[in-house]
Amino acid sequence: MFQILYSQLIRLILPFILLRLWWQGRKAPALRQHIGHRIGLVPRLPGPVVWVHAVSVGETIAAAPMVRRLLARDPQITILMTAMTDTGLAQARKMFGNRVRYAYAPYDTPGSIRRFLNRTRPRILVIMETEIWPNMIRQSRARGVPVFLINARLSERSARGYGRIRSLALPIMQSISWVAAQAEKDAERFRRIGVVPDKVEVTGSVKFDVDIPPDVRQAARDLRTRLAGRPVWIAGSTHGGEDAQLLTAHQELLVAHPEALLILVPRHPERFDSVANKVASRGLTVARRSRGEDPAGAQVYLGDTMGELMMLYGASDVAFVGGSLIERGGHNPLEPAGWGIPVFSGPHVFNFETIYQRLLDDTGVKIVANAEELATFLISLFSHPAEREAIGRRALSVVNKNRGALEKVVEGIIERV
């Protein structure tokens, strides 16, 4: 009954979702491209197909090392990467070019999923983190397609939510073939909400297996050379409500270090223009990367391109990870930590609680409450290079000592196929 009611509800709201998508496409034309994918109308694919679903940019980046290992193991397989967002697919294309296939994930109506499965005929469905879509999972299992939840995490709040509808959610949870959980507390929560206990394994987070390709390292070195030794800090994946605070922190930093540069990278491309205007309204000089403008004489360098955040982290001395000064839950701090630079975040990091706890345990990250506190630490670190480098080494050490989840995940996938 739950499945029927859920499917009927999704069918009813689908026209409004598609209309909203079309409307948003006025400012982000990529959203209107391949709109048929959203109802399952994708090109037919040769087999065997491994379907890797990652909701957006962060999950796509986390999936990348796994995809590279799978391709190395079997160059004949077809990897189909799907995402819900245009930014997620743009990130995937940036990393893999024509080595894999791409599509927007279908919305979770029975017809959309059925059409998608008919055309792609996947051998496996690998879902990154916690994208639990009832029709996607149930229909895949009905066709004998194993469903793997990789790098899986589940907050206590989400677990309580599933617990309130446990009898309704149970058939979906029991359809999951394998959960590779980030930590024991995540595994316990998945067992609690109905996943078969012996199908839940703690592998650790694949995000610790930070993969920085040689071309990205070289591009970061080249940009760093252009900046001629200036103090550089980056605010990555920022959201509305954070930019003003970060600009305030930068203006305070400029009083003590007039040559400092802020690389500001908004999370969503539709905000690029408004953030550029906000910078200018503060009286700060801005250079936009998308226009090829030289950052040498600017006070703020706007990272308004897609798929370059990892490289921009590598060109910086200190990193702030966005989505954390507001109640968004934060983004992945391991990307800058993998470069061996100090990492800062605001207090709202519940999306990455396990990762942040391990960094905090080894003093590899600093949580700040507001712009003033952030500015104080930035001024201190740029005044004491040796301390800054020591903090960066601690962050990198946390990354290195927690590597290994990727091999467990790849082996687990291969064993279960």
Side-chain angles (χ1 to χ4, degrees):
M1 181 59 69
F2 167 75
Q3 191 80 15
I4 293 170
L5 292 174
Y6 167 82
S7 296
Q8 285 297 104
L9 178 62
I10 293 292
R11 285 191 182 105
L12 287 171
I13 66 174
L14 181 61
F16 300 99
I17 295 173
L18 293 174
L19 181 61
R20 181 173 180 267
L21 194 68
W22 180 87
W23 184 257
Q24 290 175 327
R26 295 173 305 139
K27 294 183 179 179
L31 291 173
R32 292 183 179 178
Q33 295 175 359
H34 308 299
I35 201 166
H37 291 188
R38 311 286 188 163
I39 56 172
L41 298 176
V42 297
R44 296 184 182 275
L45 296 178
V49 173
V50 174
W51 176 11
V52 178
H53 176 59
V55 62
S56 192
V57 175
E59 294 80 8
T60 301
I61 292 171
M66 178 190 70
V67 170
R68 291 190 184 99
R69 299 288 179 92
L70 291 172
L71 288 171
R73 289 286 191 94
D74 185 359
Q76 302 305 312
I77 64 172
T78 298
I79 302 285
L80 170 62
M81 296 194 72
T82 63
M84 299 300 293
T85 67
D86 57 317
T87 53
L89 284 189
Q91 179 68 52
R93 290 190 179 97
K94 181 86 174 178
M95 294 187 296
F96 292 106
N98 60 4
R99 297 172 61 199
V100 307
R101 303 293 186 93
Y102 309 96
Y104 287 102
Y107 289 127
D108 201 42
T109 65
S112 299
I113 298 296
R114 182 174 61 253
R115 286 186 288 270
F116 188 91
L117 292 173
N118 285 343
R119 286 165 169 76
T120 60
R121 294 176 299 132
R123 179 185 289 184
I124 321 164
L125 168 55
V126 178
I127 301 174
M128 297 303 297
E129 302 199 0
T130 320
E131 281 288 286
I132 299 175
W133 293 104
N135 284 314
M136 179 188 288
I137 292 172
R138 293 294 299 279
Q139 285 200 37
S140 294
R141 290 298 294 126
R143 295 178 183 228
V145 177
V147 178
F148 302 154
L149 214 58
I150 300 302
N151 212 44
R153 57 185 172 86
L154 189 67
S155 69
E156 183 59 34
R157 182 169 60 180
S158 296
R160 286 196 299 268
Y162 283 114
R164 285 191 286 270
I165 56 168
R166 190 175 189 278
S167 61
L168 303 178
L170 191 60
I172 300 156
M173 300 305 166
Q174 293 183 333
S175 296
I176 298 173
S177 309
W178 184 44
V179 173
Q182 292 188 20
E184 182 56 46
K185 58 187 174 183
D186 297 301
E188 186 277 326
R189 290 165 187 160
F190 278 107
R191 296 185 191 105
R192 195 200 315 164
I193 66 173
V195 179
V196 178
D198 63 4
K199 294 182 178 179
V200 181
E201 181 179 352
V202 179
T203 59
S205 174
V206 300
K207 291 186 176 181
F208 281 105
D209 292 271
V210 178
D211 184 14
I212 307 176
D215 61 324
V216 174
R217 291 189 181 275
Q218 185 58 53
R221 284 193 292 268
D222 292 345
L223 177 55
R224 186 73 221 185
T225 299
R226 288 173 57 197
L227 298 176
R230 295 176 64 185
V232 179
W233 72 289
I234 182 171
S237 295
T238 65
H239 290 253
E242 293 186 302
D243 303 297
Q245 298 180 69
L246 296 166
L247 291 172
T248 295
H250 188 53
Q251 287 176 310
E252 292 185 29
L253 174 63
L254 287 170
V255 175
H257 296 278
E259 294 300 310
L261 175 69
L262 164 61
I263 302 177
L264 184 56
V265 188
R267 180 73 171 179
H268 300 113
E270 60 268 23
R271 296 183 58 244
F272 289 161
D273 289 340
S274 64
V275 173
N277 292 335
K278 188 169 292 184
V279 175
S281 72
R282 292 290 191 101
L284 296 167
T285 55
V286 60
R288 298 185 64 162
R289 183 165 177 80
S290 65
R291 298 177 182 176
E293 295 171 351
D294 189 357
Q299 294 167 311
V300 177
Y301 190 31
L302 186 64
D304 55 349
T305 54
M306 296 304 301
E308 292 195 309
L309 179 57
M310 180 63 87
M311 183 277 291
L312 293 172
Y313 277 135
S316 307
D317 299 303
V318 178
F320 174 86
V321 180
S324 58
L325 284 173
I326 58 171
E327 292 190 26
R328 172 61 177 76
H331 293 291
N332 184 10
L334 297 177
E335 294 170 18
W339 286 100
I341 62 176
V343 181
F344 288 86
S345 290
H348 305 289
V349 293
F350 51 83
N351 285 338
F352 293 85
E353 59 179 343
T354 299
I355 288 173
Y356 271 97
Q357 190 56 58
R358 292 187 184 175
L359 285 165
L360 286 166
D361 288 344
D362 286 15
T363 326
V365 69
K366 179 66 180 178
I367 303 296
V368 295
N370 49 47
E372 291 72 26
E373 193 171 323
L374 176 60
T376 298
F377 281 108
L378 288 171
I379 292 167
S380 175
L381 290 184
F382 282 122
S383 299
H384 301 91
E387 181 185 356
R388 186 178 72 240
E389 291 169 7
I391 295 172
R393 285 194 297 271
R394 289 201 296 270
L396 180 58
S397 175
V398 175
V399 173
N400 288 334
K401 77 178 185 179
N402 285 281
R403 290 180 185 273
L406 180 61
E407 281 302 323
K408 294 179 185 177
V409 164
V410 171
E411 289 299 327
I413 292 172
I414 298 297
E415 287 175 7
R416 289 165 171 81
V417 175

